[in-house]
Every structure is written in C-alpha cells, then in structure tokens.
Amino acid sequence: MDNNHKSTMKSISKLISQSSQSFFSAFLDDSKDKQSKNKEREEILKKLQVASAQKSLVVLQLKEVPTSQKFETVSGWIVSKKIGDSIMLRLQEDSQQIRMITVEHIKKVSTLTKNDKRLIK
C-alpha cells in the first residue's frame, strides 16, 4: 500500500507539473499571437496612411465576411487623411458611394500609385 500511495503521489505531481507547464506555454504563445497581430495591424495602418497621402488606388481584401465567401475584395480611394480604427473608402465602381471599413477586417492591402508603380505586400 505504501508503494501504491507513492505511485499515486508521483502521478499527481507529474500531472500538476505538466498542467502548469502547458498553461505557461499557452500563455507565452498567446502573447506571441497578440504581438504578431499588433505588428500586422501596424503594417496595414502604415500602408493605408501612405496610400492616403499619395492618393493611390487601394485594393483591400477583407476577412470574416458574413456571406459564404471566405473573403471580399473592394477597391477605391481613401477619403480621410488620418487613419484610425476604420477608414472611409470612396469606391472605384461608384465614386458617389463611400464605405466605412474597420482596419480589423482588412486581410491584405495592395496599392496602385498615380505613377503606375504597383505595390503588393
């Protein structure tokens, strides 16, 4: 019985040790994911700010669209000079229509400057 008790205690301590290690690992991975997402967001904001300053045509690939498609593509010109959590886009198909798009929904940004230098990132 004494060996059985020691065996049980070893199993419990091993389980606790593995649980805490996996919890700590998940915590660190979560921090890396947040850093990665923040870096991605900053890059998108920078591209949008440059496109706005250059008055470039912007093509945006949006994610998390409620329709059955996996993504949506819109194109147009950024109306506002300052880029925040969302942008105002004057659509290329209908220049009278303006669409507000949150930066969180932008998956990819491509621009076409007035000098026809195509920048895809």
Side-chain angles (χ1 to χ4, degrees):
M1 205 160 200
D2 210 15
N3 285 338
N4 191 19
H5 180 68
K6 287 180 182 179
S7 170
T8 305
M9 290 302 288
K10 283 184 181 180
S11 297
I12 291 173
S13 63
K14 185 177 179 182
L15 178 65
I16 291 172
S17 174
Q18 288 176 345
S19 297
S20 62
Q21 287 175 354
S22 64
F23 176 75
F24 186 67
S25 175
F27 175 76
L28 292 177
D29 287 344
D30 188 40
S31 296
K32 289 179 184 177
D33 287 344
K34 284 182 182 178
Q35 289 176 348
S36 175
K37 286 181 182 179
N38 285 340
K39 185 178 177 184
E40 221 175 83
R41 177 180 155 77
E42 291 299 320
E43 289 176 9
I44 287 174
L45 286 172
K46 187 189 301 183
K47 290 176 192 175
L48 292 172
Q49 191 67 46
V50 169
S52 175
Q54 294 178 348
K55 297 182 181 179
S56 301
L57 175 68
V58 178
V59 179
L60 304 175
Q61 187 178 41
L62 306 178
K63 56 187 172 183
E64 300 176 13
V65 179
T67 62
S68 62
Q69 298 175 348
K70 292 185 179 181
F71 61 89
E72 177 185 6
T73 304
V74 293
S75 60
W77 293 267
I78 300 174
V79 176
S80 58
K81 295 291 180 192
K82 185 171 176 151
I83 307 297
D85 290 336
S86 61
I87 62 168
M88 302 292 282
L89 192 72
R90 185 168 33 101
L91 298 180
Q92 184 180 20
E93 303 89 43
D94 182 7
S95 62
Q96 297 298 314
Q97 188 176 7
I98 294 178
R99 181 168 172 187
M100 179 181 270
I101 300 170
T102 59
V103 175
E104 297 298 321
H105 285 97
I106 298 173
K107 181 177 181 179
K108 185 177 177 183
V109 177
S110 300
T111 61
L112 184 64
T113 62
K114 290 183 179 183
N115 297 335
D116 292 333
K117 293 179 182 173
R118 188 166 183 170
L119 303 173
I120 299 175
K121 303 238 174 168

